Amino acid sequence: MNHFTSKIKVRYAETDQMGVVHHANYPLYFEEARLNWLDNLEISYATMEKDGIMLPVYKISVAYHAPAHFDDVLSVTTSLVGKPTAKIVFDYRILNQEEKLIATGSTTLVFVDATSRKPIACPKIILDRLGF
């Protein structure tokens, strides 16, 4: 399962004075979609953290193609890029309810031991669930 689509409804508080989704919300949409991708694989981020595995964002990019507005229902497709190693890379594609391209982006996260704060290999459970 290398991709998953989440639905996110734009809340009023996420918009600016022009009624457009503020640019700072897109990384939050990426995060929600990424957590949904993990949930779909039956992998709990909370359990990973309890097991001493952290997954901080190392790099993020967003390209804005068209505005999203209050009450839009966004489809955020999260796609895994390659086999996870000590890092995991995702691409995102956001469409509105008319299937207009709103934004694209990517994130790179690093698997880190919570105690040592040093990078570690991708957990076996994730590799197994992905068929690697």
Side-chain angles (χ1 to χ4, degrees), residues 35-45 47 125 129:
L35 291 174
N36 290 339
W37 180 86
L38 284 167
D39 286 344
N40 188 61
L41 290 172
E42 298 180 354
I43 298 168
S44 166
Y45 193 86
T47 299
I125 187 171
R129 297 266 166 88

Side-chain angles (χ1 to χ4, degrees), residues 13 34 53 79 112 116-117 121 127:
R34 186 171 61 249
I53 301 167
S79 300
V112 173
S116 71
R117 301 285 203 241
L127 294 174

Side-chain angles (χ1 to χ4, degrees), residues 1-75:
M1 178 79 183
N2 67 350
H3 67 275
F4 183 77
T5 301
S6 300
K7 299 287 187 187
I8 298 174
K9 189 169 183 176
V10 174
R11 298 177 303 173
Y12 183 78
E14 296 165 344
T15 62
D16 60 19
Q17 195 170 18
M18 296 179 290
V20 173
V21 171
H22 189 271
H23 66 275
N25 288 295
Y26 289 87
L28 299 174
Y29 296 158
F30 293 170
E31 180 178 45
E32 183 174 345
R34 186 171 61 249
L35 291 174
N36 290 339
W37 180 86
L38 284 167
D39 286 344
N40 188 61
L41 290 172
E42 298 180 354
I43 298 168
S44 166
Y45 193 86
T47 299
M48 279 198 311
E49 286 188 340
K50 286 178 189 169
D51 291 342
I53 301 167
M54 300 174 77
L55 200 55
V57 173
Y58 171 73
K59 181 170 44 172
I60 188 166
S61 69
V62 185
Y64 306 97
H65 302 278
H69 301 91
F70 168 63
D71 218 31
D72 280 354
V73 177
L74 305 177
S75 295

